[in-house]
Amino acid sequence: MVVGLGPGNRDLLAPAALEALKISDVIIGYKTYLDLIEDLTEGKEVISSGMRKEIDRAQLAVDLAQQGRTVSVISSGDPGVYGMAGIVLELAGDSVDVEVVPGVTAATAAAAALGAPLMHDFAVISLSDLLTPWVKIMNRLEAAGLGDFIVVLYNPKSHGRQTHIESAREILLWHKNPETPVGIVRCAKRGLESVVITTLRDMLKEEIDMLTTVIVGNSQTKVENGKMVTPRGYKV
Ligand code: SAH
């Protein structure tokens, strides 16, 4: 199984994910995420691996499953959103059954903390260029701006590349108003959550790191009583 842990708070870990962990003999994941569920892994074989070891982790899971073990590979948020589900399915082929257990992804966790910014069409774009050429990311940013999509930015600061968020903002400003509301959520639905609502003009004044999700509104998005809201279009 590839199991989504949700954003961090235990009440947002789905019962199906709990059950998957419960029936597993082996749990494999990145150390930070294993720490989040330490109390659920007692008595099980726990295999912790470092960041950027996704292929090794997925291969090990497939090998162990082929030997008849029940294995859970964990991802934060949803495992099918920049998580482990894809690589596990690719490596497993038809050799073992794989079940993907979904979780609350950072986009919706951050949206809930901000209010209701994702009520209309939105695009999710990761600013990490580890596996995607930067020029493609820039093209997607422009297309999303041109399409007046609400834009959710994952991995806003890539390893060693602090300027991506600055370039992303600049590209979005080609088609979006500088007054467009921007929500910045660090550790959404996790301990130490921080929520800031600012504008496209001022967003770089705020702290943004790898634990942050940034949501840039569309042309209709507004701030109502301290909440970021994109109207669905109902007449009120
Ligand atoms: N599979 C994960 C995403 C992994 S990509 C999911 O579905 O949520 C990692 C990025 O997700 C981080 O750089 C950050 O932008 C975002 N992220 C993950 N958890 C978060 C949280 N609790 N609060 C804010 N952003 C988060």
Side-chain angles (χ1 to χ4, degrees):
M1 292 162 291
V2 200
V3 179
L5 300 181
N9 283 352
R10 186 55 59 84
D11 56 357
L12 291 176
L13 179 77
L18 266 181
E19 184 60 24
L21 297 174
K22 203 159 128 195
I23 63 170
S24 293
D25 312 317
V26 188
I27 299 185
I28 303 180
Y30 174 47
K31 183 163 183 334
T32 314
Y33 305 144
L34 284 169
D35 290 345
L36 284 175
I37 53 160
E38 212 177 359
D39 57 311
L40 302 174
T41 59
E42 253 167 62
K44 300 177 186 293
E45 186 178 348
V46 175
I47 303 173
S48 142
S49 80
M51 194 102 146
R52 303 207 201 171
K53 295 267 186 208
E54 286 87 358
I55 299 176
D56 300 348
R57 221 181 290 160
Q59 188 61 58
L60 181 62
V62 170
D63 292 346
L64 291 169
Q66 279 171 346
Q67 291 164 22
R69 315 281 298 277
T70 303
V71 185
S72 277
V73 180
I74 56 167
S75 276
S76 76
D78 187 293
V81 180
Y82 311 118
M84 291 293 296
I87 184 72
V88 169
L89 284 168
E90 283 180 273
L91 291 176
D94 60 6
S95 67
V96 285
D97 283 336
V98 180
E99 188 187 337
V100 180
V101 181
V104 174
T105 190
T108 51
L114 288 162
L118 304 182
M119 293 301 299
H120 226 290
D121 297 347
F122 63 95
V124 176
I125 300 176
S126 165
L127 297 189
S128 168
D129 62 354
L130 287 175
L131 302 171
T132 308
W134 177 240
V135 70
K136 192 170 230 183
I137 298 172
M138 288 195 293
N139 285 337
R140 287 175 177 165
L141 286 163
E142 191 194 356
L146 185 64
D148 194 25
F149 282 87
I150 303 144
V151 179
V152 183
L153 301 175
Y154 279 54
N155 298 301
K157 285 209 172 153
S158 293
H159 302 280
R161 303 265 324 245
Q162 300 286 307
T163 58
H164 282 190
I165 187 73
E166 294 166 24
S167 312
R169 170 182 168 273
E170 225 165 276
I171 293 167
L172 291 173
L173 275 168
W174 294 345
H175 301 288
K176 287 182 184 283
N177 190 307
E179 295 306 321
T180 305
V182 171
I184 298 174
V185 186
R186 187 169 191 279
C187 293
K189 306 295 167 193
R190 200 183 271 193
L192 302 175
E193 177 184 89
S194 95
V195 181
V196 172
I197 298 180
T198 175
T199 60
L200 200 46
R201 175 191 290 122
D202 292 332
M203 61 176 272
L204 295 179
K205 294 179 184 160
E206 307 300 329
E207 197 193 326
I208 295 174
D209 65 11
M210 283 303 280
L211 285 173
T212 307
T213 294
V214 177
I215 302 186
V216 182
N218 71 9
S219 59
Q220 308 301 309
T221 306
K222 53 191 180 178
V223 182
E224 293 255 16
N225 299 319
K227 297 283 184 189
M228 185 173 169
V229 180
T230 304
R232 179 75 185 85
Y234 303 114
K235 300 274 175 280
V236 284

Tab-separated table of all heavy atoms in Angstrom, residues 6-8 33 75-83 103-107 109-110 126 153-157 185-190 209-214, ligand 1:
chain	number	residue	atom	x	y	z
A	6	GLY	N	-1.792	12.617	5.296
A	6	GLY	CA	-2.436	13.922	5.506
A	6	GLY	C	-1.384	14.943	5.905
A	6	GLY	O	-0.183	14.653	5.926
A	7	PRO	N	-1.840	16.152	6.239
A	7	PRO	CA	-0.896	17.246	6.471
A	7	PRO	C	-0.103	17.123	7.775
A	7	PRO	O	0.912	17.797	7.929
A	7	PRO	CB	-1.793	18.483	6.490
A	7	PRO	CG	-3.157	17.983	6.819
A	7	PRO	CD	-3.242	16.600	6.274
A	8	GLY	N	-0.554	16.312	8.703
A	8	GLY	CA	0.228	16.157	9.937
A	8	GLY	C	-0.633	15.901	11.156
A	8	GLY	O	-0.359	14.987	11.914
A	33	TYR	N	8.533	11.750	8.279
A	33	TYR	CA	7.142	11.297	8.264
A	33	TYR	C	6.949	10.113	9.203
A	33	TYR	O	5.897	9.976	9.822
A	33	TYR	CB	6.695	10.948	6.839
A	33	TYR	CG	6.893	12.091	5.870
A	33	TYR	CD1	7.275	11.879	4.564
A	33	TYR	CD2	6.717	13.406	6.298
A	33	TYR	CE1	7.464	12.946	3.694
A	33	TYR	CE2	6.908	14.474	5.437
A	33	TYR	CZ	7.290	14.231	4.140
A	33	TYR	OH	7.480	15.275	3.285
A	75	SER	N	3.609	8.551	2.556
A	75	SER	CA	3.887	9.876	1.996
A	75	SER	C	3.145	10.878	2.873
A	75	SER	O	2.095	10.551	3.421
A	75	SER	CB	3.292	10.022	0.593
A	75	SER	OG	4.122	9.515	-0.417
A	76	SER	N	3.634	12.100	2.954
A	76	SER	CA	2.833	13.120	3.633
A	76	SER	C	1.720	13.552	2.680
A	76	SER	O	1.812	13.346	1.465
A	76	SER	CB	3.691	14.322	4.014
A	76	SER	OG	3.953	15.116	2.887
A	77	GLY	N	0.675	14.132	3.217
A	77	GLY	CA	-0.419	14.606	2.367
A	77	GLY	C	-1.059	13.446	1.625
A	77	GLY	O	-1.424	12.435	2.222
A	78	ASP	N	-1.174	13.594	0.316
A	78	ASP	CA	-1.699	12.530	-0.534
A	78	ASP	C	-0.525	11.879	-1.262
A	78	ASP	O	0.304	12.587	-1.832
A	78	ASP	CB	-2.683	13.135	-1.550
A	78	ASP	CG	-3.388	12.051	-2.346
A	78	ASP	OD1	-2.717	11.346	-3.135
A	78	ASP	OD2	-4.610	11.887	-2.168
A	79	PRO	N	-0.465	10.546	-1.277
A	79	PRO	CA	0.698	9.881	-1.885
A	79	PRO	C	0.715	10.010	-3.410
A	79	PRO	O	1.738	9.787	-4.046
A	79	PRO	CB	0.542	8.422	-1.478
A	79	PRO	CG	-0.916	8.246	-1.246
A	79	PRO	CD	-1.421	9.562	-0.727
A	80	GLY	N	-0.433	10.395	-3.988
A	80	GLY	CA	-0.523	10.534	-5.433
A	80	GLY	C	-0.270	11.958	-5.906
A	80	GLY	O	-0.436	12.264	-7.083
A	81	VAL	N	0.100	12.849	-4.983
A	81	VAL	CA	0.405	14.244	-5.332
A	81	VAL	C	1.860	14.490	-4.948
A	81	VAL	O	2.162	14.648	-3.758
A	81	VAL	CB	-0.532	15.223	-4.588
A	81	VAL	CG1	-0.199	16.672	-4.960
A	81	VAL	CG2	-1.993	14.925	-4.915
A	82	TYR	N	2.750	14.478	-5.914
A	82	TYR	CA	4.193	14.607	-5.672
A	82	TYR	C	4.646	13.655	-4.555
A	82	TYR	O	5.518	13.998	-3.752
A	82	TYR	CB	4.587	16.039	-5.283
A	82	TYR	CG	4.039	17.132	-6.170
A	82	TYR	CD1	3.188	18.096	-5.648
A	82	TYR	CD2	4.379	17.207	-7.511
A	82	TYR	CE1	2.685	19.116	-6.453
A	82	TYR	CE2	3.880	18.220	-8.317
A	82	TYR	CZ	3.036	19.171	-7.790
A	82	TYR	OH	2.538	20.172	-8.576
A	83	GLY	N	4.031	12.473	-4.500
A	83	GLY	CA	4.356	11.518	-3.435
A	83	GLY	C	4.940	10.234	-4.015
A	83	GLY	O	5.535	10.239	-5.092
A	103	GLY	N	-4.889	10.871	0.933
A	103	GLY	CA	-4.810	11.696	2.145
A	103	GLY	C	-5.140	13.135	1.800
A	103	GLY	O	-5.228	13.504	0.627
A	104	VAL	N	-5.320	13.954	2.820
A	104	VAL	CA	-5.579	15.383	2.605
A	104	VAL	C	-4.277	16.028	2.139
A	104	VAL	O	-3.269	15.994	2.848
A	104	VAL	CB	-6.067	16.062	3.901
A	104	VAL	CG1	-6.192	17.567	3.705
A	104	VAL	CG2	-7.393	15.467	4.350
A	105	THR	N	-4.296	16.587	0.944
A	105	THR	CA	-3.077	17.163	0.383
A	105	THR	C	-2.863	18.598	0.877
A	105	THR	O	-3.803	19.253	1.356
A	105	THR	CB	-3.141	17.102	-1.168
A	105	THR	OG1	-1.870	17.455	-1.700
A	105	THR	CG2	-4.212	18.024	-1.735
A	106	ALA	N	-1.625	19.063	0.758
A	106	ALA	CA	-1.273	20.392	1.280
A	106	ALA	C	-2.159	21.498	0.696
A	106	ALA	O	-2.485	22.464	1.393
A	106	ALA	CB	0.191	20.689	0.984
A	107	ALA	N	-2.562	21.357	-0.572
A	107	ALA	CA	-3.377	22.408	-1.204
A	107	ALA	C	-4.688	22.612	-0.458
A	107	ALA	O	-5.077	23.750	-0.172
A	107	ALA	CB	-3.666	22.051	-2.665
A	109	ALA	N	-5.408	21.433	2.624
A	109	ALA	CA	-5.140	21.759	4.037
A	109	ALA	C	-4.860	23.259	4.164
A	109	ALA	O	-5.414	23.942	5.037
A	109	ALA	CB	-3.955	20.947	4.553
A	110	ALA	N	-4.027	23.795	3.263
A	110	ALA	CA	-3.695	25.228	3.303
A	110	ALA	C	-4.929	26.060	2.977
A	110	ALA	O	-5.186	27.099	3.604
A	110	ALA	CB	-2.559	25.537	2.321
A	126	SER	N	4.478	22.696	-8.821
A	126	SER	CA	5.620	22.567	-7.918
A	126	SER	C	6.774	23.373	-8.491
A	126	SER	O	7.077	23.280	-9.679
A	126	SER	CB	6.028	21.096	-7.808
A	126	SER	OG	7.315	21.011	-7.224
A	153	LEU	N	1.183	26.822	-5.183
A	153	LEU	CA	2.606	26.523	-5.364
A	153	LEU	C	3.096	25.586	-4.259
A	153	LEU	O	3.048	25.924	-3.073
A	153	LEU	CB	3.433	27.808	-5.353
A	153	LEU	CG	3.070	28.838	-6.426
A	153	LEU	CD1	3.881	30.126	-6.215
A	153	LEU	CD2	3.315	28.283	-7.825
A	154	TYR	N	3.541	24.392	-4.680
A	154	TYR	CA	4.191	23.455	-3.758
A	154	TYR	C	5.710	23.652	-3.908
A	154	TYR	O	6.175	24.156	-4.922
A	154	TYR	CB	3.865	22.015	-4.138
A	154	TYR	CG	2.521	21.469	-3.671
A	154	TYR	CD1	1.337	22.130	-3.961
A	154	TYR	CD2	2.443	20.277	-2.969
A	154	TYR	CE1	0.110	21.607	-3.558
A	154	TYR	CE2	1.223	19.743	-2.567
A	154	TYR	CZ	0.055	20.412	-2.871
A	154	TYR	OH	-1.145	19.873	-2.479
A	155	ASN	N	6.454	23.180	-2.949
A	155	ASN	CA	7.929	23.285	-2.978
A	155	ASN	C	8.372	24.691	-3.394
A	155	ASN	O	9.139	24.853	-4.344
A	155	ASN	CB	8.529	22.253	-3.954
A	155	ASN	CG	8.229	20.829	-3.542
A	155	ASN	OD1	8.583	20.406	-2.454
A	155	ASN	ND2	7.549	20.100	-4.391
A	156	PRO	N	7.885	25.725	-2.698
A	156	PRO	CA	8.141	27.092	-3.185
A	156	PRO	C	9.608	27.481	-3.148
A	156	PRO	O	10.014	28.371	-3.879
A	156	PRO	CB	7.302	27.968	-2.250
A	156	PRO	CG	7.112	27.145	-1.023
A	156	PRO	CD	7.067	25.720	-1.478
A	157	LYS	N	10.374	26.835	-2.299
A	157	LYS	CA	11.824	27.082	-2.353
A	157	LYS	C	12.539	25.765	-2.555
A	157	LYS	O	12.584	24.923	-1.676
A	157	LYS	CB	12.301	27.786	-1.073
A	157	LYS	CG	11.890	29.245	-1.073
A	157	LYS	CD	12.814	30.148	-0.308
A	157	LYS	CE	12.407	31.601	-0.560
A	157	LYS	NZ	12.765	32.499	0.532
A	185	VAL	N	0.819	29.633	3.787
A	185	VAL	CA	0.541	28.790	4.959
A	185	VAL	C	1.736	27.873	5.206
A	185	VAL	O	2.156	27.119	4.325
A	185	VAL	CB	-0.727	27.941	4.759
A	185	VAL	CG1	-1.061	27.195	6.052
A	185	VAL	CG2	-1.898	28.809	4.336
A	186	ARG	N	2.271	27.980	6.401
A	186	ARG	CA	3.377	27.110	6.802
A	186	ARG	C	2.839	26.087	7.797
A	186	ARG	O	2.075	26.442	8.699
A	186	ARG	CB	4.478	27.961	7.444
A	186	ARG	CG	5.726	27.185	7.739
A	186	ARG	CD	6.881	28.095	8.120
A	186	ARG	NE	8.091	27.320	8.131
A	186	ARG	CZ	8.459	26.553	9.156
A	186	ARG	NH1	7.733	26.497	10.252
A	186	ARG	NH2	9.563	25.830	9.071
A	187	CYS	N	3.197	24.832	7.595
A	187	CYS	CA	2.720	23.761	8.487
A	187	CYS	C	1.207	23.757	8.629
A	187	CYS	O	0.679	23.754	9.754
A	187	CYS	CB	3.383	23.862	9.856
A	187	CYS	SG	5.134	23.539	9.806
A	188	ALA	N	0.509	23.777	7.504
A	188	ALA	CA	-0.954	23.715	7.517
A	188	ALA	C	-1.409	22.454	8.233
A	188	ALA	O	-0.905	21.360	7.969
A	188	ALA	CB	-1.482	23.696	6.082
A	189	LYS	N	-2.359	22.622	9.137
A	189	LYS	CA	-2.957	21.477	9.851
A	189	LYS	C	-1.902	20.544	10.438
A	189	LYS	O	-1.941	19.322	10.301
A	189	LYS	CB	-3.896	20.691	8.912
A	189	LYS	CG	-4.962	21.558	8.250
A	189	LYS	CD	-5.945	22.131	9.241
A	189	LYS	CE	-6.805	23.237	8.652
A	189	LYS	NZ	-7.532	23.973	9.661
A	190	ARG	N	-0.922	21.199	11.034
A	190	ARG	CA	0.200	20.508	11.684
A	190	ARG	C	0.576	21.419	12.848
A	190	ARG	O	0.199	22.584	12.835
A	190	ARG	CB	1.342	20.468	10.670
A	190	ARG	CG	2.390	19.440	10.908
A	190	ARG	CD	3.466	19.561	9.874
A	190	ARG	NE	3.211	18.763	8.685
A	190	ARG	CZ	4.124	18.523	7.756
A	190	ARG	NH1	5.319	19.027	7.857
A	190	ARG	NH2	3.827	17.785	6.710
A	209	ASP	N	9.225	28.858	3.012
A	209	ASP	CA	10.241	27.805	2.972
A	209	ASP	C	9.632	26.506	2.452
A	209	ASP	O	8.517	26.512	1.940
A	209	ASP	CB	10.912	27.641	4.343
A	209	ASP	CG	9.926	27.154	5.402
A	209	ASP	OD1	8.803	26.744	5.045
A	209	ASP	OD2	10.285	27.181	6.590
A	210	MET	N	10.360	25.420	2.620
A	210	MET	CA	9.903	24.144	2.053
A	210	MET	C	8.684	23.559	2.774
A	210	MET	O	8.082	22.613	2.282
A	210	MET	CB	11.041	23.121	2.083
A	210	MET	CG	12.082	23.333	1.003
A	210	MET	SD	11.390	23.317	-0.665
A	210	MET	CE	11.226	21.555	-0.961
A	211	LEU	N	8.344	24.111	3.940
A	211	LEU	CA	7.166	23.612	4.650
A	211	LEU	C	5.949	24.494	4.381
A	211	LEU	O	4.958	24.457	5.102
A	211	LEU	CB	7.438	23.562	6.155
A	211	LEU	CG	8.339	22.421	6.601
A	211	LEU	CD1	8.697	22.551	8.075
A	211	LEU	CD2	7.635	21.082	6.360
A	212	THR	N	6.074	25.331	3.336
A	212	THR	CA	5.046	26.334	3.053
A	212	THR	C	4.323	26.006	1.754
A	212	THR	O	4.938	25.557	0.781
A	212	THR	CB	5.728	27.715	2.884
A	212	THR	OG1	6.546	27.967	4.022
A	212	THR	CG2	4.711	28.817	2.733
A	213	THR	N	3.019	26.272	1.735
A	213	THR	CA	2.242	26.249	0.493
A	213	THR	C	1.733	27.660	0.237
A	213	THR	O	1.255	28.329	1.153
A	213	THR	CB	1.069	25.246	0.600
A	213	THR	OG1	1.629	23.934	0.714
A	213	THR	CG2	0.175	25.283	-0.629
A	214	VAL	N	1.865	28.107	-1.005
A	214	VAL	CA	1.466	29.462	-1.383
A	214	VAL	C	0.268	29.358	-2.320
A	214	VAL	O	0.306	28.581	-3.286
A	214	VAL	CB	2.639	30.191	-2.091
A	214	VAL	CG1	2.213	31.585	-2.552
A	214	VAL	CG2	3.859	30.280	-1.169
B	1	SAH	N1	2.398	14.601	-1.076
B	1	SAH	C1	2.385	15.911	-0.428
B	1	SAH	C2	3.204	16.954	-1.184
B	1	SAH	C3	4.687	16.682	-1.235
B	1	SAH	S1	5.582	17.991	-2.010
B	1	SAH	C4	0.940	16.394	-0.291
B	1	SAH	O1	0.031	15.823	-0.928
B	1	SAH	O2	0.691	17.341	0.477
B	1	SAH	C5	6.168	18.859	-0.591
B	1	SAH	C6	5.526	20.231	-0.511
B	1	SAH	O3	4.195	20.120	-0.043
B	1	SAH	C7	6.200	21.179	0.486
B	1	SAH	O4	7.336	21.820	-0.058
B	1	SAH	C8	5.083	22.175	0.752
B	1	SAH	O5	4.969	23.109	-0.310
B	1	SAH	C9	3.856	21.274	0.690
B	1	SAH	N2	3.399	20.825	2.040
B	1	SAH	C10	3.364	19.569	2.499
B	1	SAH	N3	2.804	19.524	3.743
B	1	SAH	C11	2.482	20.800	4.063
B	1	SAH	C12	1.860	21.411	5.200
B	1	SAH	N4	1.443	20.693	6.259
B	1	SAH	N5	1.686	22.768	5.169
B	1	SAH	C13	2.060	23.504	4.109
B	1	SAH	N6	2.641	22.971	3.010
B	1	SAH	C14	2.861	21.638	2.982
